[in-house]
Amino acid sequence: ESLRFMKAIGVDVTSPSFATVDFYTAHEALLLPYEQALTRIDSTTGEWYDCSAHMLWVGERTRQVDGAHVEFLSGLPNPIGVKISEE
């Protein structure tokens, strides 16, 4: 329905921008064995990337500064998010 409406108001819906989408994923890096199993070396840079998501984040369960989750994520060039709360 949205595309029909856009076409009705004169938008060119055959434009390439309507045929593709950039899709990104993110999740808390909670299960270290899972994250480690999906970590690969980039063949062009030689850096380690976690391929389980585009962006990983540290949350309530993984935020210990001296913990294994923060240590693991500190060695990756992936974008890292931090969940901030009252706790």
Side-chain angles (χ1 to χ4, degrees):
E1 288 181 31
S2 298
L3 290 177
R4 261 197 320 253
F5 171 75
M6 294 176 86
K7 189 175 180 181
I9 62 170
V11 175
D12 178 13
V13 295
T14 61
S15 166
S17 61
F18 287 96
T20 62
V21 65
D22 290 329
F23 186 80
Y24 299 95
T25 61
H27 65 258
E28 183 175 10
L30 182 60
L31 302 172
L32 283 180
Y34 174 78
E35 301 304 334
Q36 291 167 336
L38 292 170
T39 302
R40 306 282 187 269
I41 295 177
D42 183 318
S43 63
T44 60
T45 66
E47 294 184 295
W48 288 92
Y49 280 89
D50 188 328
C51 299
S52 68
H54 292 95
M55 183 181 83
L56 300 161
W57 49 277
V58 174
E60 293 296 327
R61 300 168 286 187
T62 55
R63 66 182 176 154
Q64 293 75 24
V65 175
D66 59 348
H69 295 86
V70 172
E71 177 66 26
F72 174 74
L73 293 173
S74 71
L76 300 174
N78 292 66
I80 306 295
V82 179
K83 180 180 177 183
I84 299 173
S85 72
E86 298 173 1
E87 295 183 29

